[in-house]
Structure formats: structure tokens, C-alpha cells
Amino acid sequence: VRVSGHLRPLGDASWRLVPVAGTALDLTASADLVETPKALDRGIGYTLLAAGLEQQFGERFTVTGLAGWQTFSDGNARPHVRARLIWLAVPDDGITLQLRYRQYATRQTDVDGAYFNPEDYRQWLGVAAIRKRYAGWIFSGALGAGPEFITGAEAHTTYLAQARAEGVIAGNVQLALHASYNQSVGFIDSPDYAYRIFGVTLIVPF
């Protein structure tokens, strides 16, 4: 996409390897725009490369971890770390309880207010999630809350709500509907920040 006179790549790619049952390795790459007004005016984009590991322990516990490197077109960069502990609480109904953690640090603290850019960011989330198949469709949702921290500031509470439905509408063509609400970054430069997303995806195999 061309924005503010700059050509920026957009896209996602992923590759998964399952060397043994219960263990999976993931490689992902993504590129997008930084979608604040100032960043769009300057045509700032980013790319993210990450490697992840998923390991099952018994029938009910799963641990995931991810390490990534994000670069911005304005010269900034961030290392990322994420992890999840997942307990399958009600197997018959696909209900899980999760503890999620993510952290990143910035290598260039001054971005002239183009986007939220703390020196160090950490977040914990407790999440209840469900994934259920009904009438050929897969329905999933999640509700979560937890504290977030940045260097030199007190903790603030964040909230998460997500819903998704995916199913076949004709032949092998699938339709996916998703919606989410996130409230975070309750700090002096972005008090009570929240964003809402609703999306429709048509999946056509070829």
C-alpha cells in the first residue's frame, strides 16, 4: 500500500512444524501500518518476525512461548516475548482458563509522539475462553482482564473481549466473522485508550 508517499508492505505468513505429538514449532512474519493519525501522516510501517513453541503436558495443560523482533520504518525496533499457560477446564464444552503474559522493550524511545512507545511494557491477563463446534460452524470467544505496566508508572487494568464464528457457506468456501474489544494503555499520554474491531473474511481454497 502507498501511504503519505511511501510504499509499505502488508501481509502475514506462517509455517508450523510438528516434530512429535504434542509439540509444535511456529515461524511467523507480518507487515502492516502503524495506524495512529501521526504515524499514517508519516507513512510509518512495521515488520515482525517471530518463532514460537507449543508444548502439551498431559490431556489438559498446554504451554506456549514466542520470541519476536519488530522493526519500524522510522528506525525504531522492539524485541517481544509472549507466553501462555492454558488449562482445558471443561473438555466437553471446549472451555479453557488461560494465563497470558507479554512484554516488549523499545530501542528508540523518542518517536515524536507518533505512537505509544514506552521504554518497557509488560502485561498479564487472566482469560476464560471457549471453542465449540455446532452445525458445521466453529464458534469461539474469550473474556479477560489483568494489569499492565510501563517503566516509571503505576499498574493499570486492561480488558479483553473477543468473538469469532467460522463455517462453510458453499463448497469449500468459508466465511469468518470476528469482533473484539480491547481497553489498555491507561497512561498519561493515552488515558482510557480502547479500540473495537469487526471483520469479515472470505476464505477461498485454490
Side-chain angles (χ1 to χ4, degrees), residues 82-159:
R82 301 176 187 176
R84 294 185 183 185
L85 173 62
I86 304 169
W87 175 46
L88 183 57
V90 186
D92 292 342
D93 293 322
I95 297 175
T96 62
L97 299 179
Q98 307 177 17
L99 180 62
R100 302 180 182 181
Y101 174 77
R102 68 185 180 112
Q103 178 179 356
Y104 63 79
T106 188
R107 296 301 175 92
Q108 179 178 307
T109 56
D110 184 8
V111 295
D112 195 25
Y115 49 90
F116 181 65
N117 189 53
E119 182 179 355
D120 182 78
Y121 178 88
R122 290 172 290 129
Q123 181 193 57
W124 291 92
L125 275 179
V127 178
I130 186 170
R131 180 179 174 88
K132 190 77 171 178
R133 183 182 295 272
Y134 179 76
W137 282 67
I138 298 175
F139 299 90
S140 60
L143 293 174
E148 65 177 354
F149 310 83
I150 67 170
T151 304
E154 296 181 357
H156 290 263
T157 303
T158 64
Y159 302 96

Side-chain angles (χ1 to χ4, degrees), residues 134-191:
Y134 179 76
W137 282 67
I138 298 175
F139 299 90
S140 60
L143 293 174
E148 65 177 354
F149 310 83
I150 67 170
T151 304
E154 296 181 357
H156 290 263
T157 303
T158 64
Y159 302 96
L160 166 72
Q162 296 176 331
R164 180 180 176 90
E166 182 176 335
V168 177
I169 57 174
N172 292 326
V173 178
Q174 298 182 43
L175 178 68
L177 308 173
H178 65 92
S180 66
Y181 170 83
N182 293 265
Q183 180 177 319
S184 61
V185 196
F187 300 102
I188 190 169
D189 56 347
S190 303

